[in-house]
């Protein structure tokens, strides 16, 4: 015994369009209702849960500002040294006079000395920074040993690029974040590229 389907009436194009539109509306209504039920079932964040995130951001910003203020209080870089990175390469960078420490700063107004203290060689320190900025960041600073508005502007740009406090003061955070061109004393040559090996 064979099973046969009843014949369906032929529908006009207009009727098919109306049926498709009604079907689409029904599917949309079901989806919207399901979405509302999911939103109602989802736990809502309490207002006290959002507060710690805001407090953490504010705390982080305060910490960064405090670190920048501490760096600004450091003494002026009054020398330049080749700081070893490995057995072959080193980085010429501003340093503390008579020390291998690079925990010092350079800032706007160093011309080349800061204040009445005339010890050390801050001019060379500033020139080392200016040369490195030109080599690694494509700037065209005059290598004049004066920390003027152009040098401050480039340092600020570098700080923004590396997402640190952009105060225009070269200090340990900027030193560690920025790219440097390396020098080899054995081959007396410069690296072809710049990197941040600190």
């Amino acid at each position: 015994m064979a099973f046969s389907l009843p014949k369906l009436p032929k529908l006009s194009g207009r009727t098919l369009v109306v049926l498709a539109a009604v079907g689409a509306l029904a599917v949309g209504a079901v989806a919207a209702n399901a979405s509302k039920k999911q939103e109602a079932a989802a736990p809502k964040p309490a207002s006290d849960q959002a507060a710690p995130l805001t407090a953490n951001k504010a705390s982080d910003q305060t910490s960064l500002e405090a670190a920048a203020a501490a760096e600004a209080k450091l003494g002026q870089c009054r020398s330049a040294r080749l700081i070893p990175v490995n057995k072959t390469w080193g980085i010429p960078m501003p340093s503390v006079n008579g020390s291998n420490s690079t925990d010092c700063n350079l800032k706007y107004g160093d011309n080349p000395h800061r204040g009445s203290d005339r010890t050390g060689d801050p001019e060379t320190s500033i020139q080392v920074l200016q040369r490195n900025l030109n080599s690694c960041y494509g700037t065209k600073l005059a290598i004049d040993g004066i920390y003027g508005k152009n040098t401050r502007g480039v340092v600020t740009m570098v700080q923004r690029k590396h997402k640190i406090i952009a105060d225009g003061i070269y200090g340990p955070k900027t030193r560690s974040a920025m790219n440097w061109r390396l020098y080899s004393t054995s081959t007396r040559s410069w690296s072809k590229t710049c990197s941040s090996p600190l």
Side-chain angles (χ1 to χ4, degrees), residues 34 58-59 95 155 164 167 176:
S59 174
S95 65
V155 169
I164 59 175
D167 58 6
S176 297

Side-chain angles (χ1 to χ4, degrees), residues 92-133:
M93 66 175 44
S95 65
V96 175
N97 190 34
S99 167
N100 285 334
S101 173
T102 57
D103 289 343
C104 54
N105 71 30
L106 294 168
K107 56 187 175 181
Y108 182 69
D110 290 352
N111 185 18
H113 294 276
R114 184 183 304 163
S116 59
D117 188 351
R118 296 289 183 251
T119 59
D121 187 11
E123 181 177 8
T124 299
S125 191
I126 297 168
Q127 288 172 337
V128 163
L129 176 63
Q130 290 169 331
R131 276 191 195 94
N132 190 74
L133 292 169

Side-chain angles (χ1 to χ4, degrees), residues 153-196:
V154 171
V155 169
T156 302
M157 178 269 302
V158 168
Q159 291 168 329
R160 284 192 186 114
K161 178 180 175 69
H162 294 289
K163 296 178 174 50
I164 59 175
I165 296 284
D167 58 6
I169 299 172
Y170 167 84
K173 291 267 187 215
T174 304
R175 171 205 67 209
S176 297
M178 67 187 281
N179 294 325
W180 293 91
R181 193 167 179 205
L182 306 177
Y183 182 76
S184 171
T185 53
S186 61
T187 61
R188 295 179 186 259
S189 62
W190 290 93
S191 62
K192 292 181 180 174
T193 60
C194 297
S195 61
S196 181

Side-chain angles (χ1 to χ4, degrees), residues 48-87:
D48 61 340
Q49 288 177 341
L53 292 177
T54 306
N56 285 344
K57 285 183 181 178
S59 174
D60 290 347
Q61 183 64 25
T62 303
S63 296
L64 291 172
E65 289 171 359
E71 285 190 359
K73 291 179 183 176
L74 290 172
Q76 183 184 19
C77 299
R78 294 179 178 272
S79 184
R81 299 230 184 264
L82 186 68
I83 305 300
V85 173
N86 56 38
K87 291 180 180 179

